[in-house]
Amino acid sequence: MNRSEFLETLQHGLRSLPVEEREGIVNDLDEHIAVSLENGVSEAEAIALLGPPADIIAQYVHGDIVEPKREQAPVIQNPVAAPTQTEAPPEKPTSKQVSPFKIVLIAGMCFIILMLLLDALD
């Protein structure tokens, strides 16, 4: 069963539901298929992961809880590789010393700003 047949089967089986609800369900399942395809899963596998259309229809129309026939393993497209031993450890940032000139300059500027603020308050 291909994607369009799967979605048409769902549309037909869910016809007793309100149109907005039916379209929402079908769109959600179509999005699940699209995500699986993006992760390298074939269309047939993506549809099989969702389960048989009859089970999905029963779940939404009759409120039946359907037990999955098998567990789905997570699909991982690009696993993160462990760092290799050839990579150098990140360098520690070196602490910079502030020259006495900069300390005096900053202190003087703070003093001037403080004097201007105090003058403005009078």
Side-chain angles (χ1 to χ4, degrees), residues 96-112:
K96 294 183 178 181
Q97 291 185 346
V98 180
S99 69
F101 173 75
K102 287 182 181 178
I103 293 173
V104 171
L105 181 65
I106 292 171
M109 290 172 54
C110 289
F111 179 75
I112 292 171

Side-chain angles (χ1 to χ4, degrees), residues 10-97:
L10 290 174
Q11 281 281 3
H12 181 73
L14 299 172
R15 68 187 179 280
S16 63
L17 298 177
V19 174
E20 291 176 4
E21 185 178 353
R22 179 176 60 233
E23 288 178 358
I25 294 166
V26 172
N27 289 339
D28 285 346
L29 294 172
D30 188 36
E31 189 175 327
H32 282 288
I33 295 170
V35 169
S36 293
L37 292 174
E38 289 173 6
N39 286 317
V41 176
S42 73
E43 186 175 282
E45 289 174 323
I47 292 169
L49 290 172
L50 292 173
D55 290 350
I56 297 170
I57 293 166
Q59 181 179 356
Y60 284 105
V61 174
H62 305 294
D64 296 344
I65 297 176
V66 180
E67 293 295 324
K69 306 236 183 322
R70 63 183 175 101
E71 282 193 34
Q72 174 183 349
V75 178
I76 300 173
Q77 182 178 6
N78 293 324
V80 178
T84 60
Q85 292 181 354
T86 59
E87 295 179 15
E91 293 182 23
K92 285 185 175 179
T94 57
S95 61
K96 294 183 178 181
Q97 291 185 346

